[in-house]
Amino acid sequence: MLQLADHFINRNYRQSLADATKASKIAEKDENSSKKAWSYYYIAKSLIFLKEFRKSTYYINKGLREESAEQDPILKAALLHLKIGIYSRLKMNKLMHEESMKILDLLNANTSTEGLVIKAKTLYGLSLITDHQKESDKLAYEAQTILKHIPDSQYNAIKETFKFKAYFYNFRGEVFLERKMPDSAQYYLFKAYHYSKIEGFIAKNTFYASIGNLYSQKKDNRKALIYYLKALDDIDAYDKNAFAKNGPGLLKKIYTIYQYFGDEKKYKYYYDRYRIANEQHLQHIDDEVLTTANEITHEKVSAEKARTQTQDVIIILILVSAISAIIFLWWRNKKIQQKKDLLIRHRETTLLETEQKATALSLKVEDALIDVIEAAKNNLQEFWPMFQKLYPDFSGKILSVNPDIRTSELVLCAYAFLGFTTKDIAVYTFKAVQTVKNNKHNLRKRLQIPPKQDLNVWLRDFYQN
């Protein structure tokens, strides 16, 4: 069952989940800790692909509590890496960094093929959340070097779940597309597509869409259209769960190209599909959940640290009391030990419940933030109201600096706060680049931002502090 779960992990998520669930029942009956933990791993990973993040977190923690997870560094690192995947979707970069450091420490001296691949995955994940390009490239290069020096015979022999060359090269290609380096991007994107076939991916829409972006950047709209249509067909055939997130964006690219070609019939067909899909996607925003999840996203890290420190102090005091009792009143040792065990179990239960609640509420942030960014890119009228729902105190903070700031300037602040460049803003709002530069210059003066201070960074720091 575990071998089947591994075989289907990149081919059929639901089948992998079914096989892993059967494996867990057998392992639980046999009380086999290692097989229980591995079955929980495959269940959790399948649930991530199926966007069942809350259930996935439950099984990750269940696996980590198994004795075998402490004894097997590869197993423990694999489970921790699933946590990174969930934190990535929540944009919780600090927690991603903390878990990544745990994995690198855990596998520091591990030279197994599986250990090296997980190290490479972890290093590349760190490169994606690093603010400085030079440091990001260094981490990505380290990851690439590790993969390059693993012989194909050894790489092909590891479990399917560990293989990630296809995704790695695709991510690298997308990075070079963002930097407007299509030739470098092409090398990685076609290498990614090659490995997607070797690694047995049934759903290849991610790779088709990236190649479409490559040809779009090269101004070859006909080839771009071919790959965008392939990506859409692939989602319909093999990966319907991906449509909610990627479908509207693909449909927009497709109808835009048909509009460019002057094909009114196909333009209208795909535009209508886009409009319906986008409206359905936007309906999922919930004001109360967004507000609560946003607060937890900003406060979870500091709250967890403060709570952990307090609980650690309690444990230390209990240990000191136990030692004192052993010296002076040995017969009280049993009672003190029982109290210590009770508090430890209470601590673990409280931390687990807190993490599950925080994760459940925070999971809504990813979809909400994607919706806001898509609305910004599409220059929708709903963008500003949606942004205010996600960041309800943003306007008040800006107006506290200058009450005369206009709504149009607040919208420009929102674009900059989301990390869009001057060129991005110009493209999305249909304005000249120089106009956006002038607007930014006037905005900086009205907010009294120092000349050498980056506007985007200033807005982030000002809002968070």
Side-chain angles (χ1 to χ4, degrees):
M1 288 296 102
L2 284 174
Q3 288 176 345
L4 286 171
D6 183 66
H7 173 75
F8 284 110
I9 196 64
N10 290 326
R11 296 174 170 86
N12 186 326
Y13 310 135
R14 295 190 184 280
Q15 185 61 51
S16 181
L17 175 61
D19 292 331
T21 302
K22 291 177 183 177
S24 71
K25 292 178 180 178
I26 298 171
E28 287 168 353
K29 184 178 179 181
D30 292 344
E31 296 185 354
N32 188 313
S33 179
S34 177
K35 288 186 170 64
K36 279 197 288 182
W38 275 114
S39 63
Y40 300 150
Y41 166 84
Y42 283 105
I43 290 172
K45 187 166 185 177
S46 300
L47 288 169
I48 289 175
F49 283 123
L50 295 170
K51 303 187 185 304
E52 296 282 351
F53 303 123
R54 194 186 324 174
K55 291 181 181 178
S56 177
T57 300
Y58 169 78
Y59 281 101
I60 292 170
N61 290 323
K62 197 172 182 180
L64 287 171
R65 287 196 297 274
E66 286 295 326
E67 183 180 351
S68 57
E70 287 300 324
Q71 298 172 348
D72 183 351
I74 298 299
L75 172 56
K76 185 173 183 178
L79 287 163
L80 290 175
H81 203 273
L82 292 183
K83 275 195 171 187
I84 292 176
I86 292 177
Y87 290 145
S88 173
R89 286 163 173 80
L90 294 174
K91 312 299 181 186
M92 299 171 78
N93 292 353
K94 191 168 184 179
L95 291 180
M96 283 180 64
H97 186 272
E98 289 177 2
E99 296 299 331
S100 296
M101 291 299 102
K102 289 181 186 177
I103 292 174
L104 294 178
D105 287 341
L106 186 64
L107 300 178
N108 182 45
N110 192 297
T111 58
S112 67
T113 304
E114 291 87 351
L116 291 173
V117 172
I118 297 175
K119 280 185 191 177
K121 279 187 176 184
T122 305
L123 288 167
Y124 191 69
L126 286 171
S127 78
L128 298 178
I129 61 173
T130 301
D131 293 332
H132 303 291
Q133 181 175 316
K134 184 178 290 187
E135 180 65 18
S136 175
D137 287 342
K138 179 184 175 184
L139 290 166
Y141 179 74
E142 287 182 38
Q144 186 170 336
T145 301
I146 291 174
L147 292 176
K148 184 178 179 181
H149 286 88
I150 298 175
D152 285 344
S153 58
Q154 293 181 21
Y155 180 81
N156 294 333
I158 63 176
K159 295 178 180 179
E160 296 296 321
T161 187
F162 292 128
K163 295 176 182 177
F164 94 117
K165 283 187 177 181
Y167 278 133
F168 172 78
Y169 292 127
N170 198 74
F171 288 147
R172 286 301 287 162
E174 288 286 358
V175 167
F176 284 112
L177 281 181
E178 288 179 8
R179 297 178 187 174
K180 309 300 181 186
M181 300 169 66
D183 292 336
S184 296
Q186 180 168 325
Y187 168 79
Y188 286 106
L189 293 178
F190 280 99
K191 196 167 186 176
Y193 179 67
H194 169 72
Y195 272 102
S196 75
K197 292 188 288 185
I198 292 177
E199 294 177 9
F201 283 84
I202 298 299
K204 297 186 178 68
N205 54 84
T206 297
F207 309 103
Y208 289 142
S210 294
I211 295 174
N213 293 337
L214 168 69
Y215 284 120
S216 178
Q217 193 169 109
K218 286 188 166 189
K219 308 300 182 186
D220 190 339
N221 284 327
R222 294 192 182 278
K223 285 186 178 179
L225 180 60
I226 289 171
Y227 280 97
Y228 287 146
L229 289 171
K230 278 187 175 184
L232 191 61
D233 290 342
D234 185 90
I235 289 174
D236 290 338
Y238 305 113
D239 196 9
K240 288 184 170 59
N241 288 315
F243 184 79
K245 181 177 179 182
N246 303 326
L250 273 173
L251 289 167
K252 182 183 179 183
K253 291 171 182 176
I254 291 169
Y255 83 66
T256 301
I257 293 176
Y258 277 125
Q259 185 180 34
Y260 174 80
F261 287 153
D263 191 329
E264 189 65 27
K265 183 177 179 181
K266 289 185 177 179
Y267 158 74
K268 187 177 185 306
Y269 170 75
Y270 284 102
Y271 177 78
D272 288 342
R273 282 191 66 184
Y274 162 78
R275 182 174 51 77
I276 294 170
N278 201 45
E279 287 176 358
Q280 290 174 343
H281 192 44
L282 291 176
Q283 288 172 0
H284 294 299
I285 297 178
D286 182 278
D287 294 345
E288 183 178 354
V289 173
L290 282 177
T291 303
T292 307
N294 186 49
E295 291 174 356
I296 290 178
T297 301
H298 286 290
E299 298 173 7
K300 183 175 184 294
V301 176
S302 57
E304 287 290 341
K305 281 191 173 181
R307 190 178 298 108
T308 301
Q309 289 171 352
T310 301
Q311 291 165 340
D312 285 344
V313 170
I314 293 173
I315 297 300
I316 291 170
L317 289 174
I318 292 171
L319 289 172
V320 171
S321 299
I323 293 170
S324 300
I326 290 171
I327 296 172
F328 298 105
L329 299 167
W330 63 269
W331 55 270
R332 294 183 59 190
N333 181 61
K334 185 176 180 180
K335 290 183 179 181
I336 294 174
Q337 188 64 36
Q338 289 174 343
K339 184 178 179 182
K340 172 189 169 185
D341 292 341
L342 180 62
L343 285 172
I344 290 174
R345 287 196 298 272
H346 175 70
R347 177 193 178 202
E348 290 176 347
T349 302
T350 302
L351 284 173
L352 176 61
E353 290 175 353
T354 301
E355 183 177 21
Q356 288 176 337
K357 289 178 182 178
T359 301
L361 290 170
S362 299
L363 285 172
K364 299 297 181 179
V365 169
E366 178 192 15
D367 287 340
L369 185 57
I370 291 172
D371 291 336
V372 170
I373 291 174
E374 282 299 310
K377 289 182 177 181
N378 296 326
N379 198 28
L380 298 178
Q381 292 182 349
E382 296 94 330
F383 165 64
W384 178 236
M386 289 167 61
F387 182 88
Q388 288 179 298
K389 289 178 182 178
L390 188 58
Y391 300 101
D393 54 348
F394 183 83
S395 297
K397 287 191 175 185
I398 298 299
L399 292 171
S400 70
V401 179
N402 187 340
D404 296 327
I405 293 292
R406 298 187 297 273
T407 300
S408 60
E409 292 173 315
L410 289 172
V411 173
L412 178 58
C413 285
Y415 270 91
F417 178 79
L418 292 173
F420 291 117
T421 64
T422 299
K423 186 179 290 186
D424 290 336
I425 298 171
V427 171
Y428 300 146
T429 59
F430 305 103
K431 294 179 182 178
V433 172
Q434 190 57 50
T435 301
V436 176
K437 285 182 178 179
N438 292 339
N439 292 342
K440 277 189 169 184
H441 176 74
N442 294 333
L443 180 61
R444 295 171 67 92
K445 288 172 62 178
R446 288 164 65 78
L447 294 176
Q448 300 179 356
I449 301 174
K452 293 184 179 180
Q453 176 70 55
D454 182 88
L455 176 61
N456 296 15
V457 174
W458 184 90
L459 285 167
R460 278 279 179 186
D461 291 343
F462 176 74
Y463 177 75
Q464 292 174 355
N465 295 330

